[in-house]
Amino acid sequence: MFGKGAALLAVLLVLCSGAARSAEAPLPYQIVGKGVPVPLSGTPGNAENGRALVASRAGGNCLACHAAPIPEESDHGRVGPDLRGVGSRFGAAELRLRVVDPKVLHPDTMMPAFFRAEGLNEVAAPFRGQTILSAQEVEDVVAYLMTLK
Amino acid sequence: MPMSRGVLCALAGFVLAVFSCPGPVVAGESGVASPSPVDAAPHIDAALAAPRIDAALAPYIVGAKRSGYVYALPETRAMQDDEIMNPGFAWVERGRGLWTEVEGANGKSCASCHGPVESMAGKAVSYPKWKASMNRPVTVERQINFCRVAAMKAEPWEHESPQLLAMTTLIKQQSRGLPMSMADDGPMREWIDRGKALYFARRGQLDMSCKHCHDDHPGEKLRAETLSQAHVNGFPTYRLGWQGLGSLHRRLETCYEQMRAETYPLGSDEYVALEIFLTDRGRGLPIETPSVRR
């Protein structure tokens, strides 16, 4: 299911110079194969907070496109794959890359890069230079996704 | 409107395509995927299953093109179809009042030159239209303001003003049911291409283009919203979410805002170019103004 070019991405260093939403300075991350093996923050991801971010429209708003086992939220999107079982299908490194910048794997996807602030066009002023999620929030989302076995 | 065999086949193909799609299942209590997609989204099935065999949808399907009407809930379609229930007709009525209202230094109304508004029947199908004297394409809105300034010597109406919305809706309503057939030659070609480039350009913090929703995923759910093919034949449209009637340009602005992208002024060349591309893309679909959407 991966793009053929992905194999060429043996090691690709990506420096994120844009400011993350939180106060912490965005860290550079390293793509290895089809994943980002090293967490973006020193604090382990909090799955409970990740679940809230997945559901929240102001957070990740993942439910806009994906269904997930969050029954208290109505109207899960059906545009993207169902997230149930995603923690069995992929490891943390692969999930991290998919949240950070899924276009590395699928150039034509409609899914946003949640940890990229560079190379975007016509971004509205309040969001310019900012990533959708902070480094810690990416880790929280990954931690939650890893619980979806 | 008569339904051709071709349309019936297209409709049948749509039915098969939708039913054979495995479709993701909706979230349950457990983390285990349910093996049965049957109860995945009962409201979708209720909304789309019944009309799939409804011949009343045929006029809104032209080849692979499906008006937003096809994706609307049955109750929303019923509201559009009933001139008493359709809130957009309040703007039509308001437009009728303005049609005969004398304004400006020349002491004229629309009716002074055009007679009864029924003389506008069929006019809107060719808009946006190249206007050689202005060396640019004009939308219905711009043509109305051209008349106000040049013929009536009155002030132009602001884009999205109640008056301009009412007059645009009234004039387009005179072409209700007629297929969009804008000219696509000469200098219009350049504007179609310009709009096409905008349609396919990724933009905003969400880094999406129009095509990612409206070409790749029509009929699918984005939260509670069913994505459409982004056809423009129903504008100005009464949106239940707006609790009001709005122009196509306002709708484009809303999409851009959702993508966390910069917006353009209503009536700007960017939105006009997109309108021209989308009108060309939806060629043949009937004008539905005033349509009703979610």
Side-chain angles (χ1 to χ4, degrees):
Chain A
M1 288 297 286
F2 300 111
K4 285 175 185 170
L8 301 173
L9 297 163
V11 177
L12 181 65
L13 189 67
V14 182
L15 291 167
C16 287
S17 54
R21 203 175 57 182
S22 72
E24 71 185 293
L27 302 170
Y29 61 87
Q30 199 173 37
I31 299 172
V32 179
K34 294 162 185 164
V36 175
V38 180
L40 304 186
S41 74
T43 310
N46 177 324
E48 198 179 328
N49 191 41
R51 187 182 187 277
L53 287 164
V54 165
S56 157
R57 282 176 168 80
N61 198 18
C62 307
L63 295 185
C65 294
H66 299 278
I70 303 180
E72 72 272 20
E73 286 283 331
S74 60
D75 298 319
H76 297 214
R78 294 155 64 90
V79 166
D82 194 320
L83 295 178
R84 282 177 298 179
V86 77
S88 299
R89 297 195 289 277
F90 300 108
E94 293 168 300
L95 289 172
R96 189 174 292 111
L97 177 55
R98 279 169 164 74
V99 175
V100 164
D101 191 354
K103 292 176 188 82
V104 172
L105 301 171
H106 303 290
D108 194 36
T109 185
M110 75 186 278
M111 181 170 161
F114 286 84
F115 195 67
R116 193 174 94 194
E118 297 291 294
L120 305 174
N121 309 308
E122 315 286 336
V123 177
F127 305 102
R128 213 168 292 154
Q130 298 187 44
T131 57
I132 300 173
L133 296 178
S134 70
Q136 187 59 47
E137 287 171 335
V138 169
E139 291 308 313
D140 293 349
V141 168
V142 170
Y144 168 66
L145 295 177
M146 284 302 290
T147 69
L148 303 181
K149 300 292 187 186
Chain B
M1 213 171 282
M3 178 164 52
S4 73
R5 185 173 295 271
V7 169
L8 265 178
C9 289
L11 198 56
F14 181 51
V15 172
L16 285 172
V18 172
F19 272 124
S20 61
C21 173
V25 284
V26 112
E29 303 270 338
S30 74
V32 181
S34 158
S36 165
V38 168
D39 62 346
H43 52 293
I44 294 188
D45 289 346
L48 287 180
R52 274 180 215 136
I53 49 168
D54 186 349
L57 282 183
Y60 303 93
I61 300 173
V62 176
K65 300 171 191 177
R66 291 181 169 74
S67 163
Y69 184 91
V70 178
Y71 300 106
L73 293 172
E75 52 267 37
T76 310
R77 291 198 292 261
M79 194 187 287
Q80 173 174 320
D81 293 342
D82 183 340
E83 295 195 10
I84 306 296
M85 296 289 290
N86 182 334
F89 275 87
W91 278 261
V92 173
E93 286 314 307
R94 182 167 193 169
R96 277 189 188 280
L98 293 168
W99 184 259
T100 53
E101 197 170 300
V102 172
E103 264 193 271
N106 282 354
K108 287 182 177 177
S109 71
C110 305
S112 308
C113 292
H114 297 289
V117 70
E118 286 71 23
S119 68
M120 293 288 109
K123 297 287 189 194
V125 300
S126 53
Y127 279 77
K129 192 174 188 174
W130 185 255
K131 199 167 186 72
S133 65
M134 294 171 78
N135 196 36
R136 60 164 298 123
V138 289
T139 58
V140 170
E141 286 90 339
R142 200 165 182 128
Q143 178 61 44
I144 291 166
N145 273 334
F146 175 82
C147 282
R148 285 182 60 80
V149 173
M152 296 166 69
K153 297 217 184 304
E155 288 294 310
W157 283 321
E158 295 271 330
H159 213 287
E160 223 59 28
S161 63
Q163 297 95 328
L164 189 54
L165 281 174
M167 188 57 71
T168 306
T169 304
L170 173 70
I171 289 172
K172 286 202 167 178
Q173 191 251 338
Q174 304 308 308
S175 296
R176 218 178 188 211
L178 301 177
M180 295 196 297
S181 49
M182 178 192 80
D184 61 354
D185 55 353
M188 289 301 281
R189 198 69 248 166
E190 192 184 309
W191 282 79
I192 292 171
D193 291 342
R194 186 174 173 183
K196 184 177 183 177
L198 282 165
Y199 185 85
F200 286 99
R202 285 187 186 271
R203 57 188 297 128
Q205 192 191 39
L206 302 196
D207 199 29
M208 294 171 185
S209 74
C210 312
K211 84 103 189 176
H212 284 105
C213 283
H214 300 291
D215 288 5
D216 294 353
H217 297 286
E220 294 175 28
K221 284 288 200 184
L222 200 68
R223 282 275 187 172
E225 195 93 32
T226 301
L227 293 168
S228 76
Q229 291 182 352
H231 288 302
V232 297
N233 53 312
F235 284 91
T237 187
Y238 186 91
R239 289 191 81 212
L240 300 168
W242 285 340
Q243 288 290 297
L245 181 122
S247 70
L248 169 63
H249 292 197
R250 180 177 169 194
R251 185 69 191 88
L252 295 173
E253 179 182 64
T254 303
C255 273
Y256 277 179
E257 283 169 352
Q258 287 170 331
M259 292 149 75
R260 298 181 179 177
E262 290 250 63
T263 58
Y264 301 106
L266 305 182
S268 65
D269 283 357
E270 285 83 2
Y271 289 155
V272 170
L274 266 173
E275 177 171 354
I276 289 170
F277 169 68
L278 290 170
T279 305
D280 183 57
R281 179 173 165 275
R283 177 177 304 284
L285 286 170
I287 288 184
E288 288 174 33
T289 312
S291 65
V292 180
R293 298 289 185 264
R294 188 168 183 280

